[in-house]
Amino acid sequence: MVELIVKKRNGLELSKEELTSIIDGFISGEIPDYQISAFLMAIYFKGMDSTETAILTDLMMRSGELIDLSEIDGIKVDKHSTGGVGDKTTLVLAPLVAAAGVPVAKMSGRGLGHTGGTLDKMESIKGLSFDMTRQEFINNVKQHNIAVCGQNATLVPADKKLYALRDVTGTVNNISLIASSIMSKKLACGADAIVIDLKVGYGAFMKTLDDAEELAQVMINIGAKMNRNVIAVITSMSEPLGYTVGNALEVKEAIETLKGKGPKDLTELCLELGGHMLVLGKVSENHEQAVEKLKTLISSGKAFDKFKEFVKAQGGDVNSVENTDQLPSTKYSRIYKSDHQGYISELNALDVGLASVKLGAGRETKNSIIDHGAGILLKKKIGDFVNIGDTLAELFSNEESSFEKASELMAIAYKFTKKKPIANPLILKTVR
């Protein structure tokens, strides 16, 4: 192992046999954490080429259980988001795409830090369960064209162990390690094709478009080596997506979007990603035709009907979906007002996300308990003009003491200017 660490430290390529011995040794416990940490640091500084990255992805993918979706008819298209603030896209996209005829077999995760998790949001709906056997999961997709479950503990154990070390050794932010982590999970879940919503900006892991494009290309190359079609849509996460941040609040906004009454940015993103999923799933000939099909499903009510069907199939309370006032709420709320006059030029998604965590909507540690009612309802976003005293946001929490810290973070999030800022596009680039 020392020789392999030195080899990578010197910038040399590792063979399949060498990488296999490292991952197998790490999983079995034969190679200690401190040597793997040194190996990860060598990768961080020297990188990996496309062949090494694909091999690492394959080894991680095969380190645990592989989910076989071949029982399900049609092309299974998965969607992955690299994480953001107010990103409730899956809640809209999964039923919308399922209603269009593409089977959606979705494994989703939980939130940690400033980014929210899809399962946490959906658990705002009373009774909704993600605990099912693999066969129950497959049967739900067969019967309803949609199922969402939590990540299996036996799925990609190498990634779980590697990420735990990366997180505490300062080696998270490496393109090859990020790409292999994402793609190993997606490929292990049995998808035939994958659409990646690659976020860039304040509230995202990728801070620059160049870095996002590089990561996109690496993931596409991995997919190509494993005979999977991958499309990456690079999207802005400079401000939160939509107007809500927090679990039940985001469920409400997702439901409004499925009814055709959602915010412009969330609707635009779901149509963009969904269009690619329909083309990859071969139910539409081109993206424009796919988007029109999705719009029709929303306006006809079929998209929302599919969401209710999904909720009922997984034990959720459909009444709370039809009457969202029954979703979790909080004892307390506070109005956050502007102390500036002018146009909002920045609304830092990271700071807003951290503020929502302080209110109880997210986890500061893995053991934190989520408050499904807590969160933030934004009233103004970038480009809006405000006067002193105008309401910028409403904060919700069951802990009165949390409002002070959350308000401090909100104060940092906003910047103002006298001239109206030029609107930045939401969809920055599509990489194939």
Side-chain angles (χ1 to χ4, degrees), residues 26 31-41 158-172 177 366:
F26 183 42
I31 299 175
D33 283 1
Y34 61 82
Q35 286 189 314
I36 297 296
S37 297
F39 171 65
L40 291 169
M41 190 61 76
D159 177 61
K160 291 181 178 69
K161 288 193 73 174
L162 281 175
Y163 194 90
L165 277 185
R166 287 167 60 205
D167 198 33
V168 295
T169 57
T171 54
V172 169
L177 294 175
K366 286 183 180 180

Side-chain angles (χ1 to χ4, degrees), residues 244-412:
T244 59
V245 181
N247 301 287
L249 292 171
E250 292 190 43
V251 171
K252 290 180 184 179
E253 190 167 60
I255 288 169
E256 289 301 298
T257 305
L258 283 166
K259 290 179 176 179
K261 304 171 188 173
K264 182 181 175 184
D265 57 349
L266 177 59
T267 302
E268 179 188 352
L269 180 58
C270 290
L271 292 174
E272 178 72 19
L273 299 173
H276 290 300
M277 292 176 77
L278 265 57
V279 173
L280 288 174
K282 297 192 187 296
V283 300
S284 292
E285 291 182 9
N286 56 61
H287 192 265
E288 293 75 20
Q289 183 192 84
V291 168
E292 289 307 310
K293 182 180 286 190
L294 295 173
K295 286 179 178 177
T296 301
L297 289 167
I298 291 172
S299 61
S300 67
K302 289 181 180 177
F304 183 49
D305 286 344
K306 181 58 73 173
F307 182 72
K308 289 189 287 185
E309 182 185 338
F310 151 70
V311 168
K312 184 177 180 182
Q314 296 196 196
D317 178 14
V318 177
N319 290 330
S320 65
V321 170
E322 292 174 331
N323 179 11
T324 55
D325 288 341
Q326 294 180 21
L327 291 171
S329 58
T330 58
K331 292 181 190 174
Y332 309 109
S333 66
R334 291 287 184 277
I335 299 296
Y336 180 75
K337 295 183 178 181
S338 175
D339 54 5
H340 288 79
Q341 182 185 61
Y343 291 96
I344 299 171
S345 59
E346 282 185 22
L347 178 51
N348 190 305
L350 173 59
D351 293 323
V352 176
L354 292 172
S356 75
V357 173
K358 293 296 181 189
L359 294 168
R363 291 182 181 84
E364 293 190 85
T365 70
K366 286 183 180 180
N367 297 322
S368 297
I369 297 172
I370 290 278
D371 180 350
H372 288 98
I376 299 167
L377 174 60
L378 300 167
K379 300 290 188 179
K380 303 286 184 181
K381 294 182 72 176
I382 292 173
D384 290 336
F385 182 85
V386 294
N387 287 301
I388 294 171
D390 282 357
T391 298
L392 293 176
E394 191 170 1
L395 314 181
F396 299 90
S397 182
N398 281 306
E399 296 291 336
E400 273 193 292
S401 59
S402 68
F403 289 116
E404 185 178 348
K405 287 182 179 178
S407 296
E408 289 172 2
L409 286 161
M410 293 295 286
I412 300 168

Side-chain angles (χ1 to χ4, degrees), residues 206-225:
M206 295 287 109
K207 302 300 181 188
T208 69
L209 185 57
D210 285 346
D211 285 347
E213 284 189 63
E214 184 183 351
L215 176 58
Q217 200 58 63
V218 171
M219 289 191 286
I220 288 166
N221 291 343
I222 291 170
K225 286 178 185 291

